[in-house]
Each structure stands twice: as structure tokens, then as C-alpha cells.
Amino acid sequence: MNTQRWLSMSFFVFFFTWGIFLPYWTGWLTSAKGLSVTQASVVMGVGMIARSFSTFFLFPYATRNMSLLRVIRWTTFLSFILALAYLPESSFAILLGLTVLFSAIYPLILPSAESGASLLMQHERIHYGKSRSFGSIGYTVALLLIGTVTTIWSEQAILYMMIISLGVGLIFFFQSAPAVLQQHPIRGSAAPGGQLRALFANKTFVVVLCIATLLQGSHASYYNYGFIFLGEMGINGFYIGLILNIAVLFEIIFFTQADRLLSGAKTSTIFIVAAIGSTIRWISIFLFPVTSVFIATQTLHSVSFGMAHFAFIQYISKSVPHHLIASAQGVYAAVALSLSIAILTFPAGYLYDQSPRFAFLSMAVCSVSALILLLRIKQRIFHEIE
């Protein structure tokens, strides 16, 4: 088994499905299921809260009792079954309950894969950025494909593509995998509660997590309403897919070069650049809510998301003990990649109904807050790890 290749393909498989769920699911709920933007925001927001709790509590528990590979296999299987449950016509209450379940199970594949990457970085010195770039490629392919199929057929095709791609993922993950992922990576360590206490007792970890949370949370309006925002400008589904792919293209370029360019860079410096790029991105869309500016700001995704993500992964791979890596990934996925976006989805949805521009401006508040925090504590906190 070529470890680097397996990790690359696992990222590709998951992020292909993520390229369906993240940018299109809110739009699918409004177009195919007939929900209003506010109703869809509630469904997605509550779903992301469920996602944050499951990654915060369920994921560490699962990785303590099962190998990472078994966690990946079970979550993929259950996600496939839940996706099938979306097929019948459903009321708002059923869609809400189903989305809560789906959001609690399906995204657990991501911290499992990321935890596997961190372990492989420690054990076999694989190149994270190289494999992670395949995730971005998978996301890109999904955006293009969904943009095409929704143009040819209807938005209902979004669900069919999700079901098919989860089925393909299920087949892949039941193939052979690196041996370290089939072991119990945290066996013999403290219980999940003890691991969380150990993490949060580390002041540096808490500060780094807060910064990552602000920067990743600032993407809430983009993830939930970018597809709708472009659609309201009169752009058809195919071209929306192309526009959204610009962000992922630059993300791919970044991840393929990140290991080489940033291996010696300070974590604080990477975070600062991410915060500045994020602020520029959201303020630009607020000031100039036109297609050309939105397209131009897509190039900053490699900074606002890519650099913030790489900085956190760099921190835990260098500074977090082996037996706490899965818990650290679970906390990151729960708080930075889920809870922050879930919480911000509610005010962003309200602001979007008032004016889409204000939904994006509100995201700049998060990135500016992260930048201020970074500048204030850079010397006191980051000198411990740099």
C-alpha cells in the first residue's frame, strides 16, 4: 500500500462529496425541497450545531473504541443510508430531523481523514500538502460536475450525485489501507474527557483554536449563500460551478506548494496573512457586490481558508502529543469548522434577507477580530512553539 497515494485518494473521495454538500446543499433545500432562505438557514444552522457536538464528543469516543479506519468506514456507510432517506418528499420537520442526523454523522469522515494524515506525518513523514491538494481537486471536480448536471437536469440531481459519490466512497474505504490507521491510536490513553481537559489546559492550544475558529467561521456567508448570491445575479448553474472552482483552483495551487514554501514559516505569521487576506476578501464583496469582484476575491480562498487551515495542522503536528491528535482534530472540526459556521449562519441568514452585502461584511468582523488577537498575543503565546 502506497501510503501517500491512499491518503491522497481518501481526501479526493471525501472532498468530492464535500464539494456537493458545502456549497450546494442550502440551494438544493430551497430549489428542490421548496424551503425559503430563512428556513434553509435554520435547517443548515441546526445541522452544523449537531455536527459540532458530534465531532466534539462522538468522534473522540469513537476513535477511543475503534480504529480510525473503522470510524471512516462506519460513518461513510451511515451517511450513504441517510442520503437515501432524502429521496421521498418530506415536510420541514422531517428535513430538519434528517439534516441533523446527516450533519452529525457525515462530516465525521473529515476529522478521521485529517487525524490519519497527522498520524502518517508523524510515522511515515508523508507530505500533507501534496495529499490535501487532491482533496481540493476532488472539490473542484464536484463543483464543475454539479454545475453541469444542474444545468442539464434540475437541482434534484444534487442529491443523486451525493448518493452516488458516497457509494463510491464506501467502496474505496473498504479496500486495504495503511496499517497505522487500523490500530487503536489512542488505546491506553486517558478517557475522552481527560483528553479534552489535557488539550484545554494548554493555553497555547486554546489561543490557536480561537484564532482558527474566527478565521474559519468567517466563511459562513460564503459557504451557505455564495451559490444563491451568484444565482440572484442571473448566472446559470454551469457558470456558478466555474466561478466557485476558482477558489478551489487557488487552494490546490497553495496546498501543492505549502510544504515547500511554509515548512519554515512561523505559525503566527501564516495566521496573520490569512486574517489579512480574509478581511480584504469579505470587505471587497461588501463594497462591490458585482460578479467581477466576487470572481476576483475567489483567488483569496487559498489565503482565507488554505493558510488558516495549514497553520492549524502545522501546529498540532509539531506541538500536540501523539495520543491527543485525534481529540485535537475533533475539537478543531467541531469548533472551528462546524460550530463557528453554525452560529454565524443564523445572523448571516437574517442579514442576507436584508441585503446580501451585509452578510459578507459581517464576516469581516471575525477576521479583523482574529487579526487583533494575533497582534496582541503573538509574542506572549507563539514563542512557545516557534
mmCIF file of all heavy atoms in Angstrom, residues 16-25 28 138-165 227 236-242 244-245:
data_model
loop_
_atom_site.group_PDB
_atom_site.id
_atom_site.type_symbol
_atom_site.label_atom_id
_atom_site.label_comp_id
_atom_site.label_asym_id
_atom_site.label_seq_id
_atom_site.Cartn_x
_atom_site.Cartn_y
_atom_site.Cartn_z
ATOM 1 N N PHE A 16 -14.801 15.325 -2.697
ATOM 2 C CA PHE A 16 -15.747 15.322 -3.814
ATOM 3 C C PHE A 16 -17.167 15.457 -3.257
ATOM 4 O O PHE A 16 -17.973 16.254 -3.757
ATOM 5 C CB PHE A 16 -15.606 14.040 -4.633
ATOM 6 C CG PHE A 16 -16.495 14.007 -5.842
ATOM 7 C CD1 PHE A 16 -16.041 14.471 -7.068
ATOM 8 C CD2 PHE A 16 -17.801 13.528 -5.764
ATOM 9 C CE1 PHE A 16 -16.865 14.462 -8.188
ATOM 10 C CE2 PHE A 16 -18.634 13.516 -6.867
ATOM 11 C CZ PHE A 16 -18.156 13.986 -8.086
ATOM 12 N N THR A 17 -17.484 14.681 -2.210
ATOM 13 C CA THR A 17 -18.812 14.798 -1.594
ATOM 14 C C THR A 17 -18.978 16.148 -0.905
ATOM 15 O O THR A 17 -20.060 16.727 -0.899
ATOM 16 C CB THR A 17 -19.039 13.676 -0.565
ATOM 17 O OG1 THR A 17 -18.144 13.834 0.550
ATOM 18 C CG2 THR A 17 -18.816 12.309 -1.186
ATOM 19 N N TRP A 18 -17.903 16.652 -0.317
ATOM 20 C CA TRP A 18 -17.947 17.955 0.366
ATOM 21 C C TRP A 18 -18.223 19.070 -0.639
ATOM 22 O O TRP A 18 -18.864 20.063 -0.318
ATOM 23 C CB TRP A 18 -16.627 18.178 1.079
ATOM 24 C CG TRP A 18 -16.640 19.148 2.217
ATOM 25 C CD1 TRP A 18 -15.820 20.238 2.368
ATOM 26 C CD2 TRP A 18 -17.446 19.114 3.399
ATOM 27 N NE1 TRP A 18 -16.073 20.879 3.560
ATOM 28 C CE2 TRP A 18 -17.071 20.207 4.210
ATOM 29 C CE3 TRP A 18 -18.454 18.267 3.846
ATOM 30 C CZ2 TRP A 18 -17.678 20.475 5.438
ATOM 31 C CZ3 TRP A 18 -19.058 18.523 5.067
ATOM 32 C CH2 TRP A 18 -18.672 19.620 5.846
ATOM 33 N N GLY A 19 -17.739 18.897 -1.867
ATOM 34 C CA GLY A 19 -17.988 19.870 -2.920
ATOM 35 C C GLY A 19 -19.439 19.880 -3.370
ATOM 36 O O GLY A 19 -19.882 20.807 -4.055
ATOM 37 N N ILE A 20 -20.175 18.844 -3.004
ATOM 38 C CA ILE A 20 -21.617 18.807 -3.255
ATOM 39 C C ILE A 20 -22.361 19.404 -2.062
ATOM 40 O O ILE A 20 -23.253 20.239 -2.209
ATOM 41 C CB ILE A 20 -22.093 17.362 -3.504
ATOM 42 C CG1 ILE A 20 -21.367 16.762 -4.712
ATOM 43 C CG2 ILE A 20 -23.613 17.310 -3.706
ATOM 44 C CD1 ILE A 20 -21.620 15.276 -4.905
ATOM 45 N N PHE A 21 -21.975 18.976 -0.873
ATOM 46 C CA PHE A 21 -22.709 19.359 0.326
ATOM 47 C C PHE A 21 -22.502 20.818 0.714
ATOM 48 O O PHE A 21 -23.474 21.545 0.957
ATOM 49 C CB PHE A 21 -22.288 18.452 1.490
ATOM 50 C CG PHE A 21 -23.027 18.711 2.767
ATOM 51 C CD1 PHE A 21 -24.344 18.308 2.925
ATOM 52 C CD2 PHE A 21 -22.407 19.366 3.820
ATOM 53 C CE1 PHE A 21 -25.037 18.534 4.102
ATOM 54 C CE2 PHE A 21 -23.089 19.611 5.010
ATOM 55 C CZ PHE A 21 -24.403 19.191 5.149
ATOM 56 N N LEU A 22 -21.265 21.254 0.786
ATOM 57 C CA LEU A 22 -20.987 22.572 1.359
ATOM 58 C C LEU A 22 -21.561 23.724 0.537
ATOM 59 O O LEU A 22 -22.293 24.558 1.070
ATOM 60 C CB LEU A 22 -19.479 22.742 1.564
ATOM 61 C CG LEU A 22 -19.051 23.868 2.495
ATOM 62 C CD1 LEU A 22 -19.613 23.644 3.895
ATOM 63 C CD2 LEU A 22 -17.524 23.946 2.572
ATOM 64 N N PRO A 23 -21.268 23.819 -0.760
ATOM 65 C CA PRO A 23 -21.768 24.993 -1.493
ATOM 66 C C PRO A 23 -23.190 24.848 -2.031
ATOM 67 O O PRO A 23 -23.840 25.850 -2.324
ATOM 68 C CB PRO A 23 -20.769 25.125 -2.654
ATOM 69 C CG PRO A 23 -20.301 23.734 -2.904
ATOM 70 C CD PRO A 23 -20.342 23.012 -1.582
ATOM 71 N N TYR A 24 -23.685 23.607 -2.172
ATOM 72 C CA TYR A 24 -24.949 23.419 -2.889
ATOM 73 C C TYR A 24 -26.125 23.003 -2.019
ATOM 74 O O TYR A 24 -27.276 23.084 -2.463
ATOM 75 C CB TYR A 24 -24.771 22.362 -3.998
ATOM 76 C CG TYR A 24 -23.939 22.831 -5.160
ATOM 77 C CD1 TYR A 24 -22.667 22.302 -5.399
ATOM 78 C CD2 TYR A 24 -24.410 23.800 -6.039
ATOM 79 C CE1 TYR A 24 -21.904 22.732 -6.468
ATOM 80 C CE2 TYR A 24 -23.651 24.233 -7.118
ATOM 81 C CZ TYR A 24 -22.399 23.694 -7.324
ATOM 82 O OH TYR A 24 -21.646 24.117 -8.384
ATOM 83 N N TRP A 25 -25.873 22.526 -0.803
ATOM 84 C CA TRP A 25 -26.977 21.926 -0.048
ATOM 85 C C TRP A 25 -28.047 22.942 0.335
ATOM 86 O O TRP A 25 -29.239 22.643 0.285
ATOM 87 C CB TRP A 25 -26.438 21.224 1.194
ATOM 88 C CG TRP A 25 -27.206 19.981 1.563
ATOM 89 C CD1 TRP A 25 -27.985 19.780 2.663
ATOM 90 C CD2 TRP A 25 -27.255 18.752 0.821
ATOM 91 N NE1 TRP A 25 -28.517 18.507 2.656
ATOM 92 C CE2 TRP A 25 -28.088 17.853 1.532
ATOM 93 C CE3 TRP A 25 -26.688 18.327 -0.385
ATOM 94 C CZ2 TRP A 25 -28.350 16.565 1.088
ATOM 95 C CZ3 TRP A 25 -26.952 17.040 -0.826
ATOM 96 C CH2 TRP A 25 -27.779 16.182 -0.099
ATOM 97 N N TRP A 28 -29.978 23.580 -2.711
ATOM 98 C CA TRP A 28 -30.811 22.418 -3.029
ATOM 99 C C TRP A 28 -32.062 22.399 -2.160
ATOM 100 O O TRP A 28 -33.160 22.092 -2.640
ATOM 101 C CB TRP A 28 -29.995 21.136 -2.821
ATOM 102 C CG TRP A 28 -30.815 19.890 -2.971
ATOM 103 C CD1 TRP A 28 -31.301 19.355 -4.120
ATOM 104 C CD2 TRP A 28 -31.269 19.035 -1.908
ATOM 105 N NE1 TRP A 28 -32.034 18.208 -3.857
ATOM 106 C CE2 TRP A 28 -32.018 17.990 -2.494
ATOM 107 C CE3 TRP A 28 -31.100 19.044 -0.530
ATOM 108 C CZ2 TRP A 28 -32.606 16.980 -1.747
ATOM 109 C CZ3 TRP A 28 -31.674 18.031 0.223
ATOM 110 C CH2 TRP A 28 -32.419 17.014 -0.381
ATOM 111 N N GLY A 138 -10.684 17.083 -5.815
ATOM 112 C CA GLY A 138 -11.985 16.425 -5.741
ATOM 113 C C GLY A 138 -13.111 17.437 -5.588
ATOM 114 O O GLY A 138 -14.178 17.311 -6.205
ATOM 115 N N TYR A 139 -12.883 18.440 -4.753
ATOM 116 C CA TYR A 139 -13.862 19.511 -4.556
ATOM 117 C C TYR A 139 -14.111 20.243 -5.871
ATOM 118 O O TYR A 139 -15.258 20.553 -6.220
ATOM 119 C CB TYR A 139 -13.323 20.467 -3.495
ATOM 120 C CG TYR A 139 -14.317 21.439 -2.922
ATOM 121 C CD1 TYR A 139 -15.049 21.124 -1.784
ATOM 122 C CD2 TYR A 139 -14.520 22.691 -3.498
ATOM 123 C CE1 TYR A 139 -15.954 22.020 -1.229
ATOM 124 C CE2 TYR A 139 -15.420 23.590 -2.967
ATOM 125 C CZ TYR A 139 -16.129 23.255 -1.829
ATOM 126 O OH TYR A 139 -17.022 24.153 -1.310
ATOM 127 N N THR A 140 -13.052 20.505 -6.613
ATOM 128 C CA THR A 140 -13.155 21.189 -7.901
ATOM 129 C C THR A 140 -13.975 20.386 -8.892
ATOM 130 O O THR A 140 -14.868 20.909 -9.572
ATOM 131 C CB THR A 140 -11.752 21.438 -8.481
ATOM 132 O OG1 THR A 140 -11.008 22.272 -7.608
ATOM 133 C CG2 THR A 140 -11.836 22.091 -9.845
ATOM 134 N N VAL A 141 -13.665 19.097 -9.000
ATOM 135 C CA VAL A 141 -14.393 18.231 -9.932
ATOM 136 C C VAL A 141 -15.875 18.213 -9.583
ATOM 137 O O VAL A 141 -16.744 18.272 -10.468
ATOM 138 C CB VAL A 141 -13.801 16.808 -9.905
ATOM 139 C CG1 VAL A 141 -14.644 15.858 -10.756
ATOM 140 C CG2 VAL A 141 -12.356 16.821 -10.405
ATOM 141 N N ALA A 142 -16.176 18.154 -8.284
ATOM 142 C CA ALA A 142 -17.583 18.141 -7.860
ATOM 143 C C ALA A 142 -18.295 19.430 -8.249
ATOM 144 O O ALA A 142 -19.429 19.405 -8.741
ATOM 145 C CB ALA A 142 -17.665 17.924 -6.348
ATOM 146 N N LEU A 143 -17.644 20.566 -8.029
ATOM 147 C CA LEU A 143 -18.254 21.844 -8.383
ATOM 148 C C LEU A 143 -18.573 21.907 -9.872
ATOM 149 O O LEU A 143 -19.657 22.347 -10.276
ATOM 150 C CB LEU A 143 -17.327 22.996 -8.000
ATOM 151 C CG LEU A 143 -17.190 23.321 -6.500
ATOM 152 C CD1 LEU A 143 -16.187 24.443 -6.306
ATOM 153 C CD2 LEU A 143 -18.534 23.727 -5.914
ATOM 154 N N LEU A 144 -17.629 21.494 -10.699
ATOM 155 C CA LEU A 144 -17.842 21.514 -12.147
ATOM 156 C C LEU A 144 -18.953 20.563 -12.553
ATOM 157 O O LEU A 144 -19.824 20.905 -13.368
ATOM 158 C CB LEU A 144 -16.541 21.148 -12.863
ATOM 159 C CG LEU A 144 -15.452 22.223 -12.922
ATOM 160 C CD1 LEU A 144 -14.186 21.650 -13.545
ATOM 161 C CD2 LEU A 144 -15.931 23.432 -13.713
ATOM 162 N N LEU A 145 -18.918 19.369 -11.980
ATOM 163 C CA LEU A 145 -19.906 18.356 -12.358
ATOM 164 C C LEU A 145 -21.311 18.760 -11.927
ATOM 165 O O LEU A 145 -22.273 18.629 -12.695
ATOM 166 C CB LEU A 145 -19.516 17.014 -11.736
ATOM 167 C CG LEU A 145 -20.255 15.781 -12.244
ATOM 168 C CD1 LEU A 145 -20.119 15.653 -13.764
ATOM 169 C CD2 LEU A 145 -19.737 14.531 -11.561
ATOM 170 N N ILE A 146 -21.438 19.260 -10.693
ATOM 171 C CA ILE A 146 -22.759 19.677 -10.219
ATOM 172 C C ILE A 146 -23.276 20.865 -11.023
ATOM 173 O O ILE A 146 -24.460 20.937 -11.360
ATOM 174 C CB ILE A 146 -22.713 20.034 -8.717
ATOM 175 C CG1 ILE A 146 -22.393 18.791 -7.898
ATOM 176 C CG2 ILE A 146 -24.044 20.629 -8.260
ATOM 177 C CD1 ILE A 146 -23.389 17.667 -8.066
ATOM 178 N N GLY A 147 -22.389 21.803 -11.328
ATOM 179 C CA GLY A 147 -22.802 22.933 -12.163
ATOM 180 C C GLY A 147 -23.329 22.485 -13.510
ATOM 181 O O GLY A 147 -24.297 23.044 -14.037
ATOM 182 N N THR A 148 -22.708 21.433 -14.066
ATOM 183 C CA THR A 148 -23.126 20.916 -15.367
ATOM 184 C C THR A 148 -24.450 20.164 -15.279
ATOM 185 O O THR A 148 -25.379 20.407 -16.061
ATOM 186 C CB THR A 148 -22.047 19.984 -15.948
ATOM 187 O OG1 THR A 148 -20.817 20.707 -16.080
ATOM 188 C CG2 THR A 148 -22.469 19.444 -17.309
ATOM 189 N N VAL A 149 -24.554 19.249 -14.294
ATOM 190 C CA VAL A 149 -25.760 18.417 -14.228
ATOM 191 C C VAL A 149 -26.987 19.224 -13.821
ATOM 192 O O VAL A 149 -28.109 18.913 -14.266
ATOM 193 C CB VAL A 149 -25.566 17.218 -13.263
ATOM 194 C CG1 VAL A 149 -24.454 16.315 -13.735
ATOM 195 C CG2 VAL A 149 -25.331 17.683 -11.834
ATOM 196 N N THR A 150 -26.815 20.264 -13.008
ATOM 197 C CA THR A 150 -27.978 21.083 -12.644
ATOM 198 C C THR A 150 -28.447 21.932 -13.813
ATOM 199 O O THR A 150 -29.621 22.299 -13.890
ATOM 200 C CB THR A 150 -27.666 21.998 -11.441
ATOM 201 O OG1 THR A 150 -26.494 22.771 -11.712
ATOM 202 C CG2 THR A 150 -27.464 21.184 -10.179
ATOM 203 N N THR A 151 -27.530 22.256 -14.722
ATOM 204 C CA THR A 151 -27.902 22.991 -15.923
ATOM 205 C C THR A 151 -28.677 22.086 -16.884
ATOM 206 O O THR A 151 -29.674 22.487 -17.487
ATOM 207 C CB THR A 151 -26.660 23.556 -16.623
ATOM 208 O OG1 THR A 151 -25.983 24.445 -15.734
ATOM 209 C CG2 THR A 151 -27.039 24.318 -17.888
ATOM 210 N N ILE A 152 -28.215 20.832 -17.015
ATOM 211 C CA ILE A 152 -28.860 19.888 -17.934
ATOM 212 C C ILE A 152 -30.175 19.382 -17.367
ATOM 213 O O ILE A 152 -31.190 19.325 -18.070
ATOM 214 C CB ILE A 152 -27.908 18.708 -18.222
ATOM 215 C CG1 ILE A 152 -26.633 19.218 -18.911
ATOM 216 C CG2 ILE A 152 -28.606 17.658 -19.085
ATOM 217 C CD1 ILE A 152 -25.588 18.141 -19.115
ATOM 218 N N TRP A 153 -30.178 19.013 -16.101
ATOM 219 C CA TRP A 153 -31.394 18.492 -15.465
ATOM 220 C C TRP A 153 -31.924 19.538 -14.494
ATOM 221 O O TRP A 153 -32.208 20.642 -14.874
ATOM 222 C CB TRP A 153 -31.088 17.154 -14.783
ATOM 223 C CG TRP A 153 -30.794 16.064 -15.771
ATOM 224 C CD1 TRP A 153 -31.678 15.478 -16.640
ATOM 225 C CD2 TRP A 153 -29.524 15.452 -16.010
ATOM 226 N NE1 TRP A 153 -31.049 14.538 -17.408
ATOM 227 C CE2 TRP A 153 -29.722 14.492 -17.049
ATOM 228 C CE3 TRP A 153 -28.249 15.595 -15.472
ATOM 229 C CZ2 TRP A 153 -28.692 13.693 -17.530
ATOM 230 C CZ3 TRP A 153 -27.217 14.807 -15.946
ATOM 231 C CH2 TRP A 153 -27.440 13.879 -16.968
ATOM 232 N N SER A 154 -32.077 19.183 -13.236
ATOM 233 C CA SER A 154 -32.589 20.124 -12.247
ATOM 234 C C SER A 154 -31.754 20.017 -10.981
ATOM 235 O O SER A 154 -30.841 19.187 -10.889
ATOM 236 C CB SER A 154 -34.063 19.826 -11.925
ATOM 237 O OG SER A 154 -34.170 18.574 -11.261
ATOM 238 N N GLU A 155 -32.094 20.854 -9.994
ATOM 239 C CA GLU A 155 -31.336 20.834 -8.744
ATOM 240 C C GLU A 155 -31.504 19.527 -7.983
ATOM 241 O O GLU A 155 -30.708 19.218 -7.094
ATOM 242 C CB GLU A 155 -31.763 22.008 -7.851
ATOM 243 C CG GLU A 155 -31.153 23.339 -8.236
ATOM 244 C CD GLU A 155 -31.762 23.946 -9.482
ATOM 245 O OE1 GLU A 155 -32.801 23.420 -9.953
ATOM 246 O OE2 GLU A 155 -31.214 24.944 -9.992
ATOM 247 N N GLN A 156 -32.522 18.736 -8.312
ATOM 248 C CA GLN A 156 -32.696 17.439 -7.660
ATOM 249 C C GLN A 156 -31.498 16.532 -7.934
ATOM 250 O O GLN A 156 -31.204 15.617 -7.151
ATOM 251 C CB GLN A 156 -33.985 16.770 -8.142
ATOM 252 C CG GLN A 156 -34.319 15.458 -7.440
ATOM 253 C CD GLN A 156 -34.579 15.616 -5.944
ATOM 254 O OE1 GLN A 156 -35.076 16.657 -5.524
ATOM 255 N NE2 GLN A 156 -34.247 14.611 -5.154
ATOM 256 N N ALA A 157 -30.786 16.791 -9.034
ATOM 257 C CA ALA A 157 -29.605 15.993 -9.374
ATOM 258 C C ALA A 157 -28.515 16.121 -8.317
ATOM 259 O O ALA A 157 -27.638 15.255 -8.219
ATOM 260 C CB ALA A 157 -29.070 16.421 -10.738
ATOM 261 N N ILE A 158 -28.551 17.188 -7.528
ATOM 262 C CA ILE A 158 -27.560 17.371 -6.456
ATOM 263 C C ILE A 158 -27.635 16.198 -5.481
ATOM 264 O O ILE A 158 -26.604 15.643 -5.069
ATOM 265 C CB ILE A 158 -27.799 18.710 -5.727
ATOM 266 C CG1 ILE A 158 -27.529 19.879 -6.680
ATOM 267 C CG2 ILE A 158 -26.926 18.817 -4.474
ATOM 268 C CD1 ILE A 158 -27.920 21.236 -6.121
ATOM 269 N N LEU A 159 -28.835 15.801 -5.098
ATOM 270 C CA LEU A 159 -29.000 14.679 -4.179
ATOM 271 C C LEU A 159 -28.530 13.380 -4.816
ATOM 272 O O LEU A 159 -27.840 12.575 -4.165
ATOM 273 C CB LEU A 159 -30.467 14.553 -3.758
ATOM 274 C CG LEU A 159 -30.807 13.334 -2.879
ATOM 275 C CD1 LEU A 159 -30.011 13.367 -1.581
ATOM 276 C CD2 LEU A 159 -32.307 13.272 -2.599
ATOM 277 N N TYR A 160 -28.876 13.150 -6.077
ATOM 278 C CA TYR A 160 -28.465 11.916 -6.742
ATOM 279 C C TYR A 160 -26.940 11.807 -6.807
ATOM 280 O O TYR A 160 -26.375 10.724 -6.603
ATOM 281 C CB TYR A 160 -29.052 11.852 -8.160
ATOM 282 C CG TYR A 160 -30.559 11.850 -8.195
ATOM 283 C CD1 TYR A 160 -31.261 12.516 -9.194
ATOM 284 C CD2 TYR A 160 -31.284 11.176 -7.218
ATOM 285 C CE1 TYR A 160 -32.646 12.514 -9.228
ATOM 286 C CE2 TYR A 160 -32.679 11.174 -7.237
ATOM 287 C CZ TYR A 160 -33.343 11.842 -8.241
ATOM 288 O OH TYR A 160 -34.722 11.839 -8.262
ATOM 289 N N MET A 161 -26.283 12.929 -7.068
ATOM 290 C CA MET A 161 -24.829 12.911 -7.134
ATOM 291 C C MET A 161 -24.213 12.637 -5.762
ATOM 292 O O MET A 161 -23.188 11.973 -5.652
ATOM 293 C CB MET A 161 -24.310 14.243 -7.692
ATOM 294 C CG MET A 161 -24.617 14.473 -9.160
ATOM 295 S SD MET A 161 -23.943 13.171 -10.224
ATOM 296 C CE MET A 161 -22.193 13.298 -9.839
ATOM 297 N N MET A 162 -24.852 13.147 -4.703
ATOM 298 C CA MET A 162 -24.358 12.881 -3.362
ATOM 299 C C MET A 162 -24.468 11.393 -3.035
ATOM 300 O O MET A 162 -23.531 10.797 -2.475
ATOM 301 C CB MET A 162 -25.140 13.717 -2.341
ATOM 302 C CG MET A 162 -24.714 13.476 -0.895
ATOM 303 S SD MET A 162 -22.976 13.864 -0.604
ATOM 304 C CE MET A 162 -23.132 15.301 0.428
ATOM 305 N N ILE A 163 -25.576 10.790 -3.381
ATOM 306 C CA ILE A 163 -25.770 9.366 -3.119
ATOM 307 C C ILE A 163 -24.731 8.531 -3.871
ATOM 308 O O ILE A 163 -24.109 7.619 -3.307
ATOM 309 C CB ILE A 163 -27.197 8.940 -3.507
ATOM 310 C CG1 ILE A 163 -28.221 9.595 -2.560
ATOM 311 C CG2 ILE A 163 -27.341 7.415 -3.472
ATOM 312 C CD1 ILE A 163 -29.662 9.408 -2.996
ATOM 313 N N ILE A 164 -24.532 8.849 -5.147
ATOM 314 C CA ILE A 164 -23.568 8.096 -5.952
ATOM 315 C C ILE A 164 -22.156 8.251 -5.410
ATOM 316 O O ILE A 164 -21.401 7.265 -5.278
ATOM 317 C CB ILE A 164 -23.630 8.558 -7.420
ATOM 318 C CG1 ILE A 164 -24.980 8.166 -8.044
ATOM 319 C CG2 ILE A 164 -22.485 7.955 -8.227
ATOM 320 C CD1 ILE A 164 -25.231 8.773 -9.410
ATOM 321 N N SER A 165 -21.766 9.472 -5.071
ATOM 322 C CA SER A 165 -20.393 9.712 -4.612
ATOM 323 C C SER A 165 -20.139 9.078 -3.246
ATOM 324 O O SER A 165 -19.030 8.571 -2.990
ATOM 325 C CB SER A 165 -20.100 11.213 -4.561
ATOM 326 O OG SER A 165 -21.004 11.894 -3.719
ATOM 327 N N PHE A 227 -23.661 30.295 -3.524
ATOM 328 C CA PHE A 227 -24.402 29.745 -4.664
ATOM 329 C C PHE A 227 -25.658 30.571 -4.943
ATOM 330 O O PHE A 227 -25.947 30.932 -6.091
ATOM 331 C CB PHE A 227 -24.764 28.284 -4.361
ATOM 332 C CG PHE A 227 -25.646 27.634 -5.381
ATOM 333 C CD1 PHE A 227 -25.169 27.319 -6.641
ATOM 334 C CD2 PHE A 227 -26.964 27.319 -5.083
ATOM 335 C CE1 PHE A 227 -25.978 26.708 -7.593
ATOM 336 C CE2 PHE A 227 -27.791 26.708 -6.017
ATOM 337 C CZ PHE A 227 -27.289 26.406 -7.274
ATOM 338 N N ASN A 236 -26.129 31.205 -14.544
ATOM 339 C CA ASN A 236 -26.687 29.851 -14.522
ATOM 340 C C ASN A 236 -25.756 28.888 -13.795
ATOM 341 O O ASN A 236 -24.619 29.214 -13.469
ATOM 342 C CB ASN A 236 -27.014 29.346 -15.941
ATOM 343 C CG ASN A 236 -25.770 29.078 -16.790
ATOM 344 O OD1 ASN A 236 -24.728 28.652 -16.303
ATOM 345 N ND2 ASN A 236 -25.896 29.325 -18.093
ATOM 346 N N GLY A 237 -26.281 27.687 -13.534
ATOM 347 C CA GLY A 237 -25.585 26.733 -12.685
ATOM 348 C C GLY A 237 -24.200 26.364 -13.169
ATOM 349 O O GLY A 237 -23.270 26.208 -12.365
ATOM 350 N N PHE A 238 -24.021 26.197 -14.493
ATOM 351 C CA PHE A 238 -22.709 25.799 -15.012
ATOM 352 C C PHE A 238 -21.653 26.843 -14.698
ATOM 353 O O PHE A 238 -20.556 26.530 -14.236
ATOM 354 C CB PHE A 238 -22.801 25.585 -16.529
ATOM 355 C CG PHE A 238 -21.473 25.289 -17.167
ATOM 356 C CD1 PHE A 238 -20.878 24.047 -17.019
ATOM 357 C CD2 PHE A 238 -20.810 26.271 -17.906
ATOM 358 C CE1 PHE A 238 -19.644 23.781 -17.600
ATOM 359 C CE2 PHE A 238 -19.587 26.010 -18.492
ATOM 360 C CZ PHE A 238 -18.998 24.761 -18.347
ATOM 361 N N TYR A 239 -21.975 28.120 -14.938
ATOM 362 C CA TYR A 239 -21.001 29.175 -14.697
ATOM 363 C C TYR A 239 -20.790 29.425 -13.207
ATOM 364 O O TYR A 239 -19.702 29.839 -12.787
ATOM 365 C CB TYR A 239 -21.425 30.454 -15.412
ATOM 366 C CG TYR A 239 -21.299 30.340 -16.911
ATOM 367 C CD1 TYR A 239 -22.436 30.224 -17.720
ATOM 368 C CD2 TYR A 239 -20.051 30.290 -17.528
ATOM 369 C CE1 TYR A 239 -22.325 30.097 -19.089
ATOM 370 C CE2 TYR A 239 -19.928 30.156 -18.907
ATOM 371 C CZ TYR A 239 -21.070 30.064 -19.675
ATOM 372 O OH TYR A 239 -20.962 29.913 -21.038
ATOM 373 N N ILE A 240 -21.823 29.155 -12.395
ATOM 374 C CA ILE A 240 -21.622 29.243 -10.947
ATOM 375 C C ILE A 240 -20.573 28.225 -10.516
ATOM 376 O O ILE A 240 -19.690 28.515 -9.707
ATOM 377 C CB ILE A 240 -22.948 29.010 -10.193
ATOM 378 C CG1 ILE A 240 -23.889 30.196 -10.401
ATOM 379 C CG2 ILE A 240 -22.698 28.801 -8.696
ATOM 380 C CD1 ILE A 240 -25.262 30.006 -9.781
ATOM 381 N N GLY A 241 -20.674 27.013 -11.068
ATOM 382 C CA GLY A 241 -19.674 25.991 -10.761
ATOM 383 C C GLY A 241 -18.277 26.431 -11.148
ATOM 384 O O GLY A 241 -17.309 26.209 -10.407
ATOM 385 N N LEU A 242 -18.146 27.070 -12.296
ATOM 386 C CA LEU A 242 -16.836 27.561 -12.730
ATOM 387 C C LEU A 242 -16.307 28.636 -11.786
ATOM 388 O O LEU A 242 -15.122 28.639 -11.415
ATOM 389 C CB LEU A 242 -16.936 28.120 -14.151
ATOM 390 C CG LEU A 242 -17.140 27.118 -15.291
ATOM 391 C CD1 LEU A 242 -17.251 27.852 -16.620
ATOM 392 C CD2 LEU A 242 -15.982 26.115 -15.352
ATOM 393 N N LEU A 244 -17.119 29.197 -8.586
ATOM 394 C CA LEU A 244 -16.764 28.616 -7.295
ATOM 395 C C LEU A 244 -15.471 27.813 -7.382
ATOM 396 O O LEU A 244 -14.722 27.694 -6.407
ATOM 397 C CB LEU A 244 -17.902 27.736 -6.781
ATOM 398 C CG LEU A 244 -19.204 28.463 -6.430
ATOM 399 C CD1 LEU A 244 -20.265 27.457 -5.989
ATOM 400 C CD2 LEU A 244 -18.986 29.512 -5.342
ATOM 401 N N ASN A 245 -15.200 27.286 -8.557
ATOM 402 C CA ASN A 245 -13.983 26.493 -8.744
ATOM 403 C C ASN A 245 -12.716 27.330 -8.737
ATOM 404 O O ASN A 245 -11.629 26.805 -8.510
ATOM 405 C CB ASN A 245 -14.062 25.720 -10.065
ATOM 406 C CG ASN A 245 -14.310 24.248 -9.823
ATOM 407 O OD1 ASN A 245 -13.774 23.671 -8.891
ATOM 408 N ND2 ASN A 245 -15.137 23.645 -10.656
#
